[in-house]
Amino acid sequence: MNPQSRTKHIVCPVSEIPPGHRKIVTINGRSIGIFNIDGQYHAIRNACPHQRAPLCMGKVTGTSTSTKPGKYQWGKDGQIIRCPWHNWEFDLTTGKSVFNPNQVRIKHYDVTTEATSNQTKSSCHVETNYSEPELEKYDVGIEQMMVVIQI
Amino acid sequence: MPPSEQPINELPTLAQTSLSLIDTDVHTALNHMDELKPYLPAYYRNLTLDLPGRAGFLSPIGVQRQDAIPEEGGIPGSSVSMMQKQLLDAYQMDYAILNDSSMLGISVHADANYAAVLARAYNDYFAENWLEKDPRILGCVLIAHNNPTEAAKEIKRIGGHRKIVQVIMSSASRSPLGERQYWPIYDAACEMNLPVAVHPGAECSGVANPFTAGFPTSYFEWHNNLSQNYMCQLNSMICQGVFNQFPNLKLVCIEGGIGWLPHLMWRMDKNWKALRFTVPWLDRQPSQCILEHVRLTTQPIEEPENRQHLLQILEMVHAEKTVMFSSDYPHWDGDCPVHGLPRLPEAMKQAIMFGNAQALYNL
């Protein structure tokens, strides 16, 4: 897709996806999973290229490498998702499969966080049975960080 | 010096000629085990020599072709001249790779020391009585895989002979052939630049496992199961990383059939996509590892209702690189070099009839 044609979609406040968590949303009819890996957000399409299983429902884990038979090195912990159906491994940070990274991959989306001004009225009012001057009211602007996905 | 201690003389380099037919599975046979006694240490010469027997399903039709009984008497496979006449001359073979399949049972003998001693004696017997008798005859290092240390020594002792082209051992075993206990065998084979072949016959004999579902009830049922054991052995060697540990190793699956291989490759590839992390040394699809490291011999070639289906299977296993002709002479289920295979595409035919063997064995 032409980068210029991408549009930003504000997904949710960052507080809704703390590290190690995920959120699955539907944007333009597409189911997309957004993952927080140690404070970095990554998004992938929620449809495994194998048999279209809901990939983003799978277990987030790590994977192993080896230098010789019988030897294991565990790595990429928290960065690998396993499809819930056939357990294909995908790297959440790239969308590439582990077993065939150059040919089997899942659509990966850029995710950013942006401060968004959200105008919210705030007031304090106390009912009394006697007349008293009304308290002064102020409009309060709360800025919060939002998760934003580019599609 | 006992015969087994004598070095085997190097033969001149085999002539580089234009080839047309290499038979990768031809059988010799001892008329009697006592023929090995001159090659055995003294203690063993005093034993009654025997091999592990099968539990109740010897072939009721015999194993040998009845038309292959030597003119001078004896059992089929016991005569060089009969083999020359009936096979090497009759089909104008360039080379035939000989082994004695009944001896493979040493690998499932409970006494691994006896097994190793027999292997050594047999190799010396074979070198003296067969290997030098005809320039077309090539041989194997017989080993007992239940004694990997001695097997490795034997490979190094005799494997450098110019006419010894591979290691051969039983496809039957007490435990799968990918296990580490066997790795000295593969290490020695690579050191001597020899492929390792497995050949059936001892399944369910001695201390070998039965087939996966249990013991068969007839020779017919037993014979039908042999390919199943090949699947298990190859699966074990791939999964345990034998070919990752020994990247130059080639495995020759003799007489195990071919039709099962596409299924095994596809099933392994499919499961590997999910379970790769449990065998992370498998750095590529198992099928790719198989096609690079494994060679299959043709006999007993599958004979489907539609022979085109066999051609399709040959394509699936990349037969132009992986399959080698074998007759299994003089056994009852052998394939004729002329009439055994269906009509093949010319390039595949040349690869199967001699090309793949020529490349594998550096002929």
Side-chain angles (χ1 to χ4, degrees):
Chain A
M1 184 184 285
N2 185 335
Q4 275 77 42
S5 67
R6 289 182 184 170
T7 54
K8 288 203 287 188
H9 298 268
I10 297 171
V11 177
C12 64
V14 293
S15 59
E16 287 189 19
I17 317 178
H21 287 68
R22 78 190 86 179
K23 185 180 183 72
I24 297 172
V25 297
T26 302
I27 300 172
N28 290 349
R30 264 176 276 187
S31 183
I32 292 169
I34 299 152
F35 298 79
N36 183 336
I37 305 171
D38 295 330
Q40 297 291 316
Y41 294 89
H42 297 274
I44 58 169
R45 187 90 185 261
N46 186 23
C48 183
H50 181 211
Q51 294 186 12
R52 300 294 180 269
L55 174 60
C56 296
M57 306 277 287
K59 182 179 180 181
V60 175
T61 179
T63 192
S64 63
T65 56
S66 177
T67 53
K68 59 189 292 191
K71 300 292 182 190
Y72 297 85
Q73 285 93 40
W74 188 250
K76 297 190 176 182
D77 200 31
Q79 189 180 323
I80 301 295
I81 189 163
R82 298 185 160 279
C83 179
W85 286 8
H86 303 99
N87 279 270
W88 287 16
E89 300 166 299
F90 292 89
D91 189 327
L92 286 166
T93 68
T94 62
K96 294 181 175 182
S97 69
V98 174
F99 74 84
N100 190 354
N102 295 322
Q103 290 177 309
V104 179
R105 53 176 78 183
I106 185 70
K107 176 66 180 169
H108 178 264
Y109 302 99
D110 292 331
V111 184
T112 55
T113 56
E114 293 182 9
T116 305
S117 181
N118 189 1
Q119 296 292 327
T120 308
K121 293 242 176 185
S122 178
S123 63
C124 177
H125 181 71
V126 181
E127 292 283 343
T128 57
N129 59 359
Y130 54 91
S131 178
E132 226 176 10
E134 276 196 358
L135 291 171
E136 282 187 74
K137 293 180 181 173
Y138 302 94
D139 289 337
V140 180
I142 300 174
E143 278 212 334
Q144 55 179 335
M145 295 300 287
M146 304 296 287
V147 176
V148 177
I149 186 168
Q150 302 245 9
I151 291 182
Chain B
M1 183 185 290
S4 63
E5 298 294 327
Q6 292 171 0
I8 292 172
N9 294 331
E10 289 273 316
L11 291 179
T13 302
L14 297 169
Q16 298 289 323
T17 54
S18 178
L19 305 182
S20 62
L21 181 57
I22 299 172
D23 191 337
T24 58
D25 186 33
V26 176
H27 294 299
T28 61
L30 297 167
N31 281 310
H32 196 280
M33 285 285 285
D34 282 353
E35 290 178 63
L36 297 182
K37 286 201 168 175
Y39 305 91
L40 281 167
Y43 166 75
Y44 291 96
R45 286 199 293 270
N46 287 286
L47 299 183
T48 301
L49 301 180
D50 202 2
L51 293 167
R54 274 188 227 139
F57 30 81
L58 289 173
S59 172
I61 54 175
V63 172
Q64 317 285 4
R65 263 168 47 180
Q66 288 303 299
D67 64 322
I69 294 170
E71 288 153 354
E72 65 267 35
I75 66 172
S78 64
S79 160
V80 175
S81 61
M82 189 66 174
M83 182 180 292
Q84 288 168 323
K85 178 184 170 188
Q86 215 166 27
L87 186 75
L88 304 178
D89 297 344
Y91 299 104
Q92 298 179 300
M93 282 187 176
D94 299 301
Y95 297 108
I97 302 172
L98 274 51
N99 68 79
D100 184 331
S101 57
S102 65
M103 288 301 297
L104 296 166
I106 56 176
S107 283
V108 295
H109 199 287
D111 184 349
N113 294 318
Y114 171 69
V117 167
L118 273 188
R120 188 182 170 101
Y122 180 80
N123 288 329
D124 287 334
Y125 155 85
F126 180 79
E128 186 171 325
N129 294 281
W130 284 91
L131 207 44
E132 320 275 0
K133 300 289 170 127
D134 189 299
R136 296 165 294 185
I137 288 176
L138 302 174
C140 309
V141 185
L142 172 70
I143 60 160
H145 61 48
N146 54 355
N147 194 334
T149 307
E150 290 302 315
K153 284 186 198 167
E154 184 65 2
I155 292 167
K156 292 175 190 175
R157 182 182 76 93
I158 202 169
H161 191 294
R162 180 65 189 88
K163 294 187 81 184
I164 295 285
V165 297
Q166 71 186 354
V167 175
I168 195 162
M169 61 187 193
S170 175
S171 55
S173 62
R174 180 147 56 174
S175 59
L177 292 173
E179 289 185 358
R180 270 165 198 268
Q181 60 183 304
Y182 301 109
W183 287 16
I185 295 169
Y186 307 135
D187 192 30
C190 287
E191 182 181 326
M192 302 305 291
N193 199 24
L194 296 173
V196 173
V198 290
H199 188 290
E203 279 77 1
C204 305
S205 296
V207 296
N209 286 313
F211 297 108
T212 306
F215 283 95
T217 57
S218 66
Y219 180 73
F220 173 61
E221 188 177 342
W222 174 88
H223 205 290
N224 299 337
N225 269 341
L226 291 174
S227 51
Q228 173 198 119
N229 195 50
Y230 274 64
M231 296 174 74
C232 297
Q233 300 290 22
L234 180 53
N235 192 20
S236 168
M237 292 180 73
I238 293 287
C239 292
Q240 302 220 30
V242 169
F243 300 107
N244 304 89
Q245 184 74 20
F246 304 104
N248 296 323
L249 181 66
K250 294 283 194 293
L251 174 73
V252 181
C253 293
I254 300 177
E255 205 171 345
I258 294 170
W260 51 270
L261 186 57
H263 161 76
L264 182 67
M265 289 197 301
W266 298 339
R267 191 174 181 95
M268 291 176 87
D269 285 355
K270 181 160 181 164
N271 285 335
W272 176 78
K273 289 168 185 167
L275 300 170
R276 182 214 59 82
F277 77 103
T278 63
V279 284
W281 44 89
L282 293 189
D283 51 4
R284 59 207 162 120
Q285 292 198 94
S287 63
Q288 291 179 23
C289 188
I290 289 173
L291 293 173
E292 179 182 334
H293 290 280
V294 178
R295 300 292 177 264
L296 305 149
T297 65
T298 53
Q299 178 279 335
I301 195 68
E302 286 90 341
E303 297 176 354
E305 179 182 4
N306 180 344
R307 285 208 140 190
Q308 290 302 313
H309 293 167
L310 177 62
L311 290 179
Q312 291 169 5
I313 285 177
L314 290 172
E315 285 179 15
M316 293 171 200
V317 301
H318 298 254
E320 74 283 359
K321 291 178 183 164
T322 61
V323 175
M324 306 186 293
F325 172 77
S326 62
S327 72
D328 195 38
Y329 174 89
H331 290 176
W332 71 270
D333 51 345
D335 287 328
C336 173
V338 177
H339 302 292
L341 299 178
R343 189 174 178 83
L344 300 168
E346 188 58 29
M348 184 188 285
K349 179 182 177 185
Q350 291 189 16
I352 290 176
M353 300 314 285
F354 65 91
N356 290 335
Q358 184 180 15
L360 179 67
Y361 301 118
N362 295 313
L363 300 175

